[in-house]
Amino acid sequence: MAQAPGPGKQVQIAHIATQHYLQNKTRIEIANETGLSRFKVGRLLDEAVSSGIVKIHIASPSGVRLDLSVQLRERFGLEHAVVVDVPSDADEVIQAKLGSTAGDLLRELLTDEDVLGLTSGRTLNAMARSLNELPKCGVVQLAGVAGPIQETGLEIMRRVSAIAGVRPWTIYSPLVVSDAQAAVGIRRQPDTRQTFEQFSKVTVAVGSVGSWKPENSQMVKNRALDPADREKLLERGVVAEFGATLVTDTGSVIHDIDDRCIAISEAQWRAIPTVIAVAGGPTKTRAIRAVLASGILKGLVTDAATAERLLGG
């Protein structure tokens, strides 16, 4: 264990640190004034931190947890990670806060040259409600309809495209249909076909995460799947969906119903430069971890308690 500096050295370190951190002097300037080498000045500044004489605190006035955000980025190899404090674990409180934060992130990321892709869900609906301005970027619906009308991709598309002032590319179809033949017919419809053709142009995509264990999923809750299908997929290890991409705890993607889904595919997700999930809360933690393990995501907006669970797991 390194010996603590004596009182004389402590004064020297404090003097050097005051000049550097508070008076904004460079190491060379301090070296010239004190007669020390710049390397000695550098060592003293390092010792100022290691000995506790100087304590560096990075603060955020906006409620963003910078420490957890950085840890998530590093742990999961993300390009964008934003963790915010939320005063309650209640779903509606988490959805409102994460939605508004995701809206702030979109305003920061998007340009007129981007094409924005969106899925559906309550958190994305909260995001859409929080927006009041966006660049004039394209807006594409990435998955069919599941859930109450106010939470569907169609309603979110209506809000976001109106703010951006552009024509939305929409999908007027259920998320999951009865059989592969019906899905082929829907994909052949001109409006749906044209929207699917936009998937390859999407540069920034935002999606919600559905949890199957415990159940907190629009796909499951609103009977997009019949019980027999759901049980088979649970036996296959499905714990989460992202759009209509089904994921296991290890991040493996289950393709059993791909031919019945009216949605962006796993391969198309992976081709998008920036894919961000917006999700949080105790019932979503396992599902978020699974989608992170899949490698599809480049970004995550979540709450502090969920971030701590993800980092602790």
Side-chain angles (χ1 to χ4, degrees):
M1 184 174 179
Q3 186 175 0
K9 191 172 183 182
Q10 288 181 35
V11 173
Q12 183 188 33
I13 290 172
H15 173 66
I16 298 295
T18 299
Q19 289 186 312
H20 182 65
Y21 291 110
L22 300 183
Q23 298 177 15
N24 296 317
K25 292 183 179 180
T26 68
R27 296 182 182 195
I28 293 175
E29 289 173 332
I30 296 170
N32 291 336
E33 291 177 10
T34 61
L36 302 171
S37 73
R38 61 188 177 90
F39 301 105
K40 176 66 172 177
V41 171
R43 287 195 294 271
L44 289 171
L45 289 172
D46 289 341
E47 194 170 353
V49 176
S50 64
S51 66
I53 292 172
V54 169
K55 296 182 179 180
I56 298 173
H57 175 63
I58 301 173
S60 170
S62 64
V64 175
R65 285 291 302 274
L66 299 177
D67 54 339
L68 293 174
S69 300
V70 171
Q71 289 176 54
L72 275 186
R73 282 186 64 162
E74 293 176 349
R75 170 75 67 85
F76 297 103
L78 300 172
E79 294 176 8
H80 307 282
V82 182
V83 178
V84 290
D85 282 318
V86 178
S88 165
D89 271 346
D91 281 349
E92 61 273 15
V93 176
I94 293 174
Q95 290 154 12
K97 182 62 176 178
L98 297 188
S100 64
T101 303
D104 291 339
L105 181 60
L106 279 187
R107 284 191 290 268
E108 185 178 358
L109 292 179
L110 291 173
T111 69
D112 290 343
E113 287 71 43
D114 282 305
V115 176
L116 173 63
L118 297 168
T119 64
S120 61
R122 291 164 293 179
T123 308
L124 263 62
N125 190 45
M127 180 191 77
R129 290 197 307 269
S130 77
L131 289 168
N132 51 33
E133 61 176 345
L134 276 179
K136 197 176 180 67
C137 59
V139 184
V140 181
Q141 185 178 340
L142 299 177
V145 175
I149 186 63
Q150 68 271 20
E151 297 166 10
T152 67
L154 289 171
E155 176 62 14
I156 293 165
M157 292 291 293
R158 182 191 68 77
R159 290 177 180 271
V160 175
S161 60
I163 294 163
V166 297
R167 174 211 167 183
W169 297 93
T170 53
I171 300 174
Y172 293 92
S173 163
L175 177 61
V176 184
V177 296
S178 59
D179 54 65
Q181 186 175 358
V184 169
I186 291 170
R187 293 191 199 108
R188 284 177 178 165
Q189 295 300 311
D191 286 350
T192 306
R193 186 185 71 248
Q194 289 168 14
T195 296
F196 270 54
E197 289 170 354
Q198 305 307 308
F199 290 170
S200 62
K201 301 176 184 178
V202 173
T203 57
V204 178
V206 181
S208 57
V209 175
S211 172
W212 288 42
K213 286 184 176 181
E215 186 179 305
N216 191 350
S217 156
Q218 294 291 348
M219 180 183 281
V220 175
K221 180 180 178 182
N222 295 286
R223 300 181 181 178
L225 288 170
D226 65 45
D229 285 331
R230 176 179 174 276
E231 289 306 313
K232 288 177 184 177
L233 291 166
L234 286 169
E235 289 173 6
R236 294 272 280 139
V238 172
V239 298
E241 96 259 354
F242 188 62
T245 298
L246 307 181
V247 187
T248 69
D249 277 320
T250 62
S252 298
V253 175
I254 302 298
H255 296 282
D256 293 16
I257 62 168
D258 282 6
D259 59 355
R260 294 167 48 197
C261 292
I262 311 300
I264 189 170
S265 68
E266 176 199 359
Q268 289 168 322
W269 274 126
R270 296 188 187 279
I272 297 173
T274 302
V275 179
I276 300 169
V278 185
T283 63
K284 293 287 184 82
T285 305
R286 182 179 181 181
I288 296 166
R289 185 180 288 114
V291 178
L292 284 167
S294 75
I296 291 172
L297 300 181
K298 297 294 192 301
L300 174 65
V301 177
T302 193
D303 62 280
T306 298
E308 288 171 346
R309 288 190 293 268
L310 291 170
L311 291 165

